[in-house]
Amino acid sequence: MLLLTILFLFLIDDLAISVEGYKTSAVLTQLDEHFKTLTPAQRKEQVSKVKGVFQFDVKNEAGKVQTWTLDLKNGEGSIQTGTISGKKPDITIEIADQTFVDLAEGKANGQKLFMSGKIKAKGAVMLATKLDAVLKSTQTKAKL
Protein backbone atom coordinates (compact mmCIF):
# COMPACT_ATOMS: atom_id res chain seq x y z
CA MET A 1 0.00 0.00 0.00
CA LEU A 2 2.82 2.39 0.85
CA LEU A 3 4.48 1.62 -2.49
CA LEU A 4 1.27 2.47 -4.36
CA THR A 5 0.95 5.74 -2.45
CA ILE A 6 4.53 6.72 -3.26
CA LEU A 7 4.04 5.80 -6.93
CA PHE A 8 0.79 7.79 -7.06
CA LEU A 9 2.44 10.86 -5.52
CA PHE A 10 5.36 10.54 -7.94
CA LEU A 11 2.99 10.38 -10.92
CA ILE A 12 0.95 13.34 -9.68
CA ASP A 13 4.17 15.34 -9.23
CA ASP A 14 5.17 14.64 -12.85
CA LEU A 15 1.69 15.48 -14.08
CA ALA A 16 1.91 18.80 -12.27
CA ILE A 17 4.80 19.78 -14.56
CA SER A 18 3.37 18.27 -17.71
CA VAL A 19 0.97 20.44 -19.69
CA GLU A 20 -0.75 19.04 -22.76
CA GLY A 21 0.11 20.80 -26.00
CA TYR A 22 3.63 21.83 -24.95
CA LYS A 23 6.81 20.01 -25.96
CA THR A 24 8.58 21.94 -23.19
CA SER A 25 6.69 19.74 -20.70
CA ALA A 26 8.80 16.73 -21.65
CA VAL A 27 12.05 18.68 -21.24
CA LEU A 28 11.10 20.04 -17.83
CA THR A 29 9.80 16.65 -16.70
CA GLN A 30 13.16 15.15 -17.70
CA LEU A 31 14.94 17.90 -15.77
CA ASP A 32 12.75 17.23 -12.73
CA GLU A 33 13.47 13.50 -12.96
CA HIS A 34 17.18 14.27 -13.17
CA PHE A 35 16.93 16.40 -10.00
CA LYS A 36 15.17 13.52 -8.24
CA THR A 37 18.17 11.26 -8.88
CA LEU A 38 20.44 13.68 -7.02
CA THR A 39 21.02 13.51 -3.30
CA PRO A 40 19.77 16.43 -1.19
CA ALA A 41 23.40 17.60 -0.89
CA GLN A 42 23.85 17.53 -4.67
CA ARG A 43 20.61 19.45 -5.17
CA LYS A 44 21.72 22.08 -2.65
CA GLU A 45 25.06 22.32 -4.46
CA GLN A 46 23.23 22.93 -7.74
CA VAL A 47 21.17 25.65 -6.04
CA SER A 48 24.31 27.27 -4.62
CA LYS A 49 25.90 27.35 -8.09
CA VAL A 50 22.92 28.89 -9.89
CA LYS A 51 21.27 31.09 -7.23
CA GLY A 52 18.30 32.09 -9.37
CA VAL A 53 14.57 31.73 -9.95
CA PHE A 54 13.67 31.35 -13.63
CA GLN A 55 10.20 31.99 -14.99
CA PHE A 56 9.57 30.56 -18.45
CA ASP A 57 6.65 31.95 -20.45
CA VAL A 58 6.39 29.42 -23.26
CA LYS A 59 4.19 30.00 -26.30
CA ASN A 60 2.98 26.91 -28.12
CA GLU A 61 1.96 26.50 -31.78
CA ALA A 62 -1.66 27.38 -30.91
CA GLY A 63 -0.48 30.74 -29.54
CA LYS A 64 -1.24 29.91 -25.90
CA VAL A 65 1.26 30.82 -23.19
CA GLN A 66 2.12 28.51 -20.28
CA THR A 67 4.33 29.51 -17.39
CA TRP A 68 6.79 27.26 -15.56
CA THR A 69 9.07 28.27 -12.71
CA LEU A 70 12.47 26.73 -12.02
CA ASP A 71 13.63 27.67 -8.53
CA LEU A 72 17.37 27.13 -8.18
CA LYS A 73 17.71 29.69 -5.43
CA ASN A 74 15.82 28.24 -2.45
CA GLY A 75 16.13 24.97 -0.55
CA GLU A 76 16.90 22.03 -2.82
CA GLY A 77 15.37 23.61 -5.92
CA SER A 78 12.06 22.88 -7.61
CA ILE A 79 10.15 23.01 -10.88
CA GLN A 80 6.46 23.80 -11.11
CA THR A 81 3.83 25.09 -13.46
CA GLY A 82 2.79 28.67 -12.93
CA THR A 83 4.55 31.15 -10.70
CA ILE A 84 5.75 30.70 -7.13
CA SER A 85 3.41 32.54 -4.83
CA GLY A 86 5.13 35.40 -3.07
CA LYS A 87 8.40 35.02 -4.97
CA LYS A 88 9.48 37.25 -7.81
CA PRO A 89 11.59 35.52 -10.46
CA ASP A 90 15.13 36.75 -10.95
CA ILE A 91 14.71 36.30 -14.71
CA THR A 92 11.67 35.89 -16.93
CA ILE A 93 12.25 34.24 -20.28
CA GLU A 94 9.70 34.45 -23.10
CA ILE A 95 10.29 31.70 -25.65
CA ALA A 96 8.47 29.60 -28.25
CA ASP A 97 7.83 25.97 -27.35
CA GLN A 98 9.99 24.43 -30.10
CA THR A 99 12.75 26.97 -29.50
CA PHE A 100 12.93 25.91 -25.83
CA VAL A 101 13.19 22.26 -26.87
CA ASP A 102 15.93 23.06 -29.41
CA LEU A 103 17.83 25.03 -26.78
CA ALA A 104 17.52 22.23 -24.21
CA GLU A 105 18.68 19.63 -26.74
CA GLY A 106 21.72 21.71 -27.67
CA LYS A 107 20.46 22.30 -31.22
CA ALA A 108 20.30 26.07 -30.71
CA ASN A 109 22.57 28.64 -29.09
CA GLY A 110 20.96 30.77 -26.39
CA GLN A 111 23.01 33.87 -27.14
CA LYS A 112 22.17 33.73 -30.85
CA LEU A 113 18.49 33.21 -30.05
CA PHE A 114 18.54 36.18 -27.69
CA MET A 115 20.33 38.42 -30.19
CA SER A 116 17.88 37.44 -32.95
CA GLY A 117 14.88 38.17 -30.71
CA LYS A 118 13.68 34.55 -30.47
CA ILE A 119 14.23 34.71 -26.71
CA LYS A 120 13.16 37.71 -24.69
CA ALA A 121 14.52 38.05 -21.18
CA LYS A 122 13.68 40.42 -18.36
CA GLY A 123 15.61 40.75 -15.13
CA ALA A 124 19.01 39.26 -14.39
CA VAL A 125 19.83 38.24 -17.96
CA MET A 126 23.25 36.85 -17.03
CA LEU A 127 21.51 34.04 -15.11
CA ALA A 128 20.57 32.58 -18.49
CA THR A 129 24.20 31.48 -18.92
CA LYS A 130 23.87 29.34 -15.79
CA LEU A 131 20.68 27.79 -17.14
CA ASP A 132 22.60 26.46 -20.11
CA ALA A 133 24.85 24.49 -17.74
CA VAL A 134 21.81 23.06 -15.92
CA LEU A 135 20.27 21.85 -19.19
CA LYS A 136 23.58 20.38 -20.34
CA SER A 137 23.99 18.43 -17.09
CA THR A 138 20.66 16.75 -17.83
CA GLN A 139 21.77 15.86 -21.36
CA THR A 140 24.98 14.31 -20.05
CA LYS A 141 23.12 12.14 -17.56
CA ALA A 142 20.54 11.10 -20.19
CA LYS A 143 23.26 9.94 -22.62
CA LEU A 144 24.91 7.64 -20.06
Side-chain angles (χ1 to χ4, degrees):
M1 185 67 166
L2 178 62
L3 181 61
L4 287 175
T5 303
I6 292 170
L7 180 60
F8 178 73
L9 291 173
F10 180 77
L11 290 173
I12 285 181
D13 187 40
D14 284 346
L15 291 175
I17 296 170
S18 182
V19 178
E20 191 174 327
Y22 291 87
K23 298 172 189 172
T24 298
S25 288
V27 173
L28 293 176
T29 298
Q30 181 181 0
L31 183 61
D32 188 51
E33 289 172 0
H34 168 69
F35 285 154
K36 288 177 182 175
T37 66
L38 302 176
T39 66
Q42 290 171 319
R43 288 176 68 138
K44 286 180 182 178
E45 180 182 349
Q46 188 81 347
V47 167
S48 71
K49 286 180 184 176
V50 177
K51 298 179 187 169
V53 177
F54 299 82
Q55 177 178 314
F56 301 104
D57 294 333
V58 180
K59 190 177 208 176
N60 69 5
E61 291 177 3
K64 294 182 179 180
V65 176
Q66 173 63 47
T67 299
W68 282 273
T69 302
L70 172 60
D71 182 351
L72 291 176
K73 187 176 188 176
N74 303 292
E76 295 178 8
S78 65
I79 303 172
Q80 69 179 50
T81 56
T83 59
I84 299 175
S85 180
K87 292 183 185 174
K88 183 179 176 187
D90 295 300
I91 182 171
T92 300
I93 299 172
E94 296 176 13
I95 188 168
D97 193 27
Q98 186 60 51
T99 304
F100 186 95
V101 172
D102 291 344
L103 182 64
E105 292 177 349
K107 295 178 183 176
N109 178 289
Q111 288 180 329
K112 289 180 182 177
L113 292 170
F114 179 75
M115 297 304 275
S116 67
K118 292 186 178 183
I119 293 178
K120 294 180 181 154
K122 299 174 195 166
V125 178
M126 291 307 292
L127 274 175
T129 59
K130 293 182 180 183
L131 178 64
D132 189 46
V134 172
L135 294 174
K136 284 182 180 177
S137 72
T138 304
Q139 292 172 357
T140 303
K141 295 292 183 189
K143 289 179 184 176
L144 294 176

